[in-house]
Amino acid sequence: MALPRLRTVAVVAGAALLTRRALRRRISRSPLWPMPALPEPISGYSRRRATTVRRLLITERTAVADGVVQLRLEGAQLPRWQPGAHLDLVLPSGLVRQYSLCGDPDDPGTYTVATRLVADGRGGSREVHEQLQEGAEIEVRGPRNRFPLVAADAYVLVAGGIGITPILPMLRALAASGADWRLVYGGRSRGSMPFLDEIEKLGAEDGRVTVVAQDEAGHPDATAVLADIAPGTAVYCCGPEPLMAAVTAALPEGCTLHLERFSAAGADGADSGAFEVELHRTGRTVRVAAGQSVLAAVREELPHVPYSCEQGFCGTCQQRVLEGEIDHRDELLTDDERADSMLICVSRCRGGRLVLDL
């Protein structure tokens, strides 16, 4: 009697062991078993853009114009950068904001950024002005460059206000190389325009620099600025959206246009209608109203969804799209990434429905 009983126990135990192993293999392939396996979410940690987070020391804080402060950040073994590059600053609150590097690319161990206080903004500039002082440390990511200075026959640069920050290193490089360039620099007043003294000196000998202060001469006339430029000229513009729209409209044929925006084009969603977003992992559907971001609608259901800049620059809110046609409005994703993902803070839907891997 004992032997058959031992055989039965062994068979049952062996079957249970095989079942457990099979179950573990299935679960390992699909964390949501018995649902079909889904890829891991990609929000907030795109491997392509993963950059080392560095803690830099603020060694100098300087007022360079009315409402504009410049920060000198120092650290060891800092990556080199080229004119047009920017840094991500991780502010004490956790907000991430992008600021153009405006110092000298050949100055090792130092990054320099400048920011204007925007009283009615989203809080980033106020935090910089009120909390970042000499002697403090700050986390940074980058640098990255989506506004590079390319080879061209000639250059026309148009800057508005704090938009001079990515342009300034370009001016220094062009002046040092003997290139054919000229600059139109506009602002509310001369006192509000950072780096004005240095810029006027760069173009003092041959009149390459035109300063247009609004309280003296109104706004720059983009049509007049670009009227006589030759084909092969590269036009660089950074500043308020109306200025960039005017430069875009006035660009002559045969010239190339390079823009650096403070916010993604169409980021407010005002020119798009409502649509639905299905959250695949949770089985819920949310309605995105005209003028409302996908991020805002999704966070009403899933408050934990990460985000930061809300301008389509940092990539924190990147989500995989399983179905639907995307209306991309960001300044960050590559063509490959745009095939199956979107930044839900600014991008929208071309149609009535999207399905997100959430």
Side-chain angles (χ1 to χ4, degrees):
M1 295 291 293
L3 189 57
R5 188 175 300 144
L6 287 173
R7 257 197 218 103
T8 301
V9 170
V11 169
V12 171
L17 178 61
L18 292 174
T19 300
R20 284 197 300 271
R21 287 177 177 174
L23 183 60
R24 279 198 296 268
R25 285 196 298 269
R26 190 165 186 179
I27 290 174
S28 68
R29 290 196 300 266
S30 175
L32 299 179
W33 182 87
M35 293 175 61
L38 293 174
E40 290 185 0
I42 57 176
S43 176
Y45 52 89
S46 169
R47 290 184 177 89
R48 181 188 66 84
R49 285 189 311 280
T51 57
T52 302
V53 176
R54 295 176 173 82
R55 293 195 66 85
L56 303 186
L57 180 67
I58 302 173
T59 58
E60 186 176 308
R61 173 191 165 105
T62 309
V64 291
D66 296 341
V68 180
V69 297
Q70 176 180 278
L71 302 178
R72 180 182 174 93
L73 314 174
E74 296 188 6
Q77 298 180 333
L78 299 184
R80 294 183 61 83
W81 59 279
Q82 298 296 323
H86 71 274
L87 275 184
D88 294 346
L89 267 60
V90 184
L91 302 179
S93 68
L95 289 175
V96 180
R97 293 293 183 264
Q98 291 70 40
Y99 296 105
S100 297
L101 287 162
C102 56
D104 182 356
D106 294 325
D107 183 2
T110 299
Y111 290 152
T112 302
V113 297
T115 180
R116 182 184 299 283
L117 177 63
V118 181
D120 58 350
R122 295 173 296 116
S125 68
R126 183 171 297 280
E127 193 169 347
V128 170
H129 278 250
E130 294 180 355
Q131 297 191 36
L132 299 187
Q133 306 294 333
E134 290 183 14
E137 288 189 336
I138 185 168
E139 290 186 354
V140 305
R141 301 171 186 159
R144 296 180 297 187
N145 198 339
R146 59 171 180 261
F147 192 48
L149 185 62
V150 301
D153 297 336
Y155 300 84
V156 173
L157 306 106
V158 183
I162 198 63
I164 193 63
T165 49
I167 298 290
L168 181 58
M170 296 182 181
L171 294 179
R172 296 179 183 132
L174 293 173
S177 69
D180 180 2
W181 65 272
R182 57 190 174 98
L183 166 74
V184 176
Y185 181 18
R188 291 193 302 271
S189 66
R190 286 179 171 267
S192 71
M193 299 167 71
F195 313 115
L196 186 57
D197 289 345
E198 178 186 355
I199 289 168
E200 288 187 314
K201 289 177 182 176
L202 282 172
E205 293 184 2
D206 43 16
R208 294 179 184 269
V209 173
T210 301
V211 176
V212 183
Q214 185 179 339
D215 60 354
E216 299 173 2
H219 297 284
D221 183 345
T223 302
V225 169
L226 302 179
D228 60 348
I229 66 173
T233 299
V235 178
Y236 281 78
C237 181
C238 182
E241 192 63 37
L243 174 64
M244 292 193 291
V247 169
T248 301
L251 184 73
E253 291 187 11
C255 299
T256 59
L257 179 60
H258 309 264
L259 301 175
E260 175 80 320
R261 285 187 161 87
F262 298 131
S263 61
D268 59 4
D271 60 342
S272 295
F275 55 95
E276 289 186 344
V277 173
E278 179 185 331
L279 310 178
H280 184 69
R281 291 181 182 244
T282 63
R284 305 174 193 173
T285 297
V286 299
R287 182 169 178 79
V288 181
Q292 181 185 33
S293 70
V294 176
L295 173 67
V298 168
R299 281 180 60 84
E300 290 178 6
E301 289 288 336
L302 302 175
H304 65 279
V305 170
Y307 70 100
S308 184
C309 76
E310 297 182 82
Q311 297 292 305
F313 293 146
C314 73
T316 304
C317 69
Q318 183 179 350
Q319 296 291 344
R320 180 173 283 109
V321 179
L322 303 179
E323 294 180 29
E325 186 178 359
I326 309 165
D327 179 8
H328 290 287
R329 304 186 179 192
D330 65 274
E331 301 289 335
L332 184 66
L333 299 184
T334 66
D335 290 342
D336 287 344
E337 288 175 314
R338 290 184 175 201
D340 65 355
S341 66
M342 66 185 288
L343 300 188
I344 63 172
C345 66
V346 293
S347 296
R348 299 181 69 78
C349 175
R350 296 187 186 277
R353 182 173 173 272
L354 288 174
V355 180
L356 298 182
D357 185 20
L358 278 171

